[in-house]
Amino acid sequence: MLLWSGVPAQAQENVPEPSVSAASAILIEAETGRVLFSKNAEEQRAMASTTKIMTALLTLEQEDREVAITSDMIAVEGSSMGLRDGDRLTLHGLAAGMLSVSGNDAANAAAILIDGFLSAFADRMNRRAQELGLENTHFVTPSGLDAEGHYTTASDLAALTCAALENEAFRELTSSRQTSVSFLEPAETRTYQNHNKLLTMLDGCIGVKTGYTKQAGRCLVSAAEQNGIRLVAVTLYAPDDWNDHLAMMEYGFSRVERFGTPETPFSGSLPVTGGMAKEVPVHGEQETGAPLLTQEADRVVRCVELPRFLYAPVQEGDAVGRVTYWLDGNPLASFPLYAGGDVPCREAEPGFWDKIASFFGWK
């Protein structure tokens, strides 16, 4: 077993920790959940329309079906996608209205269609929150309008967003600057512009959700992906939320990178017993692994696992060992090592009686 440590990737320019206007904020690396920056991240606060991250996720997890809009469904104040009594569209269309123009009418309509009552849908939201381990979150409304007992934390919102981004339809809607919704009645297509300005301000932005009420203030959840790293940022009660998120994202991308092995992660050979050749070359291919902080790179340790020798025959491409890269006891990347050539079996030497038989032509 061979151990080796080294710096596998280049650190980026150092960016100072951001100063944000938000009362509560957090920035995490989405794959590992590692916190890169936080400010009062466990403080319970109203979250306005960032609530619709959960509402839209639960809506998109339903089998897509037609919704006939009634006056009860759209009897809600605030932002709207313009639904009218008698409209017919799909659940997916309602989710699009929630995530683009923050339609409270869309959120209520989906909740009533799915569970019959807003309170029953709130129960569904809270069950999912428990499943996701959101211990400081409680939902009362699907739209995010202020209500007693309706709260979350920046930390919980970040965890919820990471889960929601695993849903392909959710990710597609939040990252779209413009969304078209096909209505069945009236038979028309309506186009909605996404309220999230970061989609045009931040490289690699995949959106997520804006929000505002007088009690909650300006709330914003954003996600962005650069060089294979996905970050999620949350601000609650943030007067300067756009700039808060730009600063947090710049800071985060300067501190975290995806681990990459050297171009030649391993090159060597193994002895071969009983083969036409005495040894066979062994190689690995360049791989990427888990994210890590740039300053952690010099603590990465490589562990090579290979047998002392191989038995013939050996075929090129046979997996003969494994390389694993570790950081503080946690694996960053692991991949096989392969034989770099063929080694057929050596023909057996003829024995004494075989030589006698051959001499007299007995065989």
Side-chain angles (χ1 to χ4, degrees):
M1 181 180 294
L2 171 67
L3 296 181
W4 171 87
S5 63
V7 181
Q10 295 296 317
Q12 300 178 42
E13 181 182 354
N14 186 38
V15 174
E17 186 171 280
S19 175
V20 299
S21 70
S24 297
I26 196 168
L27 174 70
I28 70 170
E29 190 280 308
E31 184 174 322
T32 63
R34 177 180 290 197
V35 177
L36 305 176
F37 170 81
S38 68
K39 175 184 177 182
N40 303 324
E42 305 301 329
E43 184 179 282
Q44 293 178 354
R45 304 193 65 87
M47 66 283 214
S49 284
T50 60
T51 297
K52 295 187 181 82
I53 297 171
M54 176 67 86
T55 306
L57 175 62
L58 294 175
T59 299
L60 291 168
E61 288 177 344
Q62 297 286 311
E63 182 180 355
D64 198 21
R65 57 189 186 274
E66 182 180 322
V67 185
I69 301 300
T70 66
S71 58
D72 289 342
M73 288 179 170
I74 54 178
V76 59
E77 62 182 6
S79 53
S80 167
M81 69 176 294
L83 296 175
R84 298 182 294 265
D85 187 6
D87 282 351
R88 289 191 296 118
L89 69 165
T90 65
L91 275 176
H92 188 277
L94 292 178
M98 293 180 223
L99 295 175
S100 58
V101 293
S102 199
N104 290 346
D105 51 355
N108 273 24
I112 291 173
L113 178 76
I114 292 169
D115 282 316
F117 301 94
L118 297 182
S119 58
F121 188 79
D123 290 340
R124 180 186 293 269
M125 298 170 80
N126 289 318
R127 287 194 300 272
R128 176 55 65 85
Q130 292 177 356
E131 292 171 3
L132 293 174
L134 311 184
E135 298 180 355
N136 293 299
T137 295
H138 187 262
F139 295 104
V140 177
T141 70
S143 63
L145 289 177
D146 295 329
E148 185 176 355
H150 189 82
Y151 58 82
T152 190
T153 65
S155 179
D156 277 3
L157 261 184
L160 169 60
T161 301
C162 288
L165 287 171
E166 294 301 310
N167 184 292
E168 183 178 354
F170 180 95
R171 195 168 60 250
E172 181 179 348
L173 287 172
T174 62
S175 61
S176 299
R177 300 181 186 180
Q178 178 177 287
T179 301
S180 296
V181 177
S182 296
F183 281 70
L184 305 171
E185 180 64 40
E188 63 184 21
T189 298
R190 301 179 194 173
T191 300
Y192 301 92
Q193 302 296 324
N194 198 313
H195 285 177
N196 194 335
K197 293 181 180 180
L198 289 178
L199 288 169
T200 59
M201 300 170 69
L202 175 63
D203 183 35
C205 184
I206 45 181
V208 182
K209 193 69 194 73
T210 59
Y212 173 79
T213 66
K214 185 175 181 180
Q215 178 181 335
R218 293 182 64 86
C219 301
L220 181 60
V221 180
S222 69
E225 192 166 310
Q226 296 179 13
N227 300 318
I229 297 294
R230 179 180 295 175
L231 302 183
V232 171
V234 179
T235 52
L236 299 176
Y237 210 96
D240 195 17
D241 53 0
W242 304 120
N243 286 323
D244 284 354
H245 281 245
L246 290 173
M248 291 166 68
M249 288 293 186
E250 181 184 14
Y251 173 71
F253 284 122
S254 76
R255 293 196 69 224
V256 65
E257 61 192 1
R258 185 163 293 281
F259 173 77
T261 66
E263 291 186 9
T264 306
F266 180 83
S267 180
S269 61
L270 275 176
V272 178
T273 297
M276 295 292 288
K278 293 183 178 180
E279 60 182 27
V280 64
V282 175
H283 67 89
E285 298 178 358
Q286 189 173 21
E287 298 279 346
T288 58
L292 76 162
L293 299 183
T294 53
Q295 66 264 32
E296 294 172 334
D298 60 357
R299 302 208 310 270
V300 174
V301 175
R302 184 181 72 168
C303 175
V304 179
E305 299 174 271
L306 286 169
R308 295 180 63 184
F309 60 88
L310 298 173
Y311 288 103
V314 177
Q315 291 187 324
E316 184 174 2
D318 283 351
V320 297
R322 177 162 292 273
V323 173
T324 304
Y325 288 84
W326 299 83
L327 174 67
D328 301 336
N330 298 309
L332 290 173
S334 184
F335 55 92
L337 296 173
Y338 302 100
D342 295 331
V343 181
C345 290
R346 184 173 61 243
E347 294 183 6
E349 290 289 334
F352 174 77
W353 292 110
D354 291 327
K355 292 179 180 179
I356 294 295
S358 176
F359 178 79
F360 287 103
W362 294 343
K363 69 172 184 178

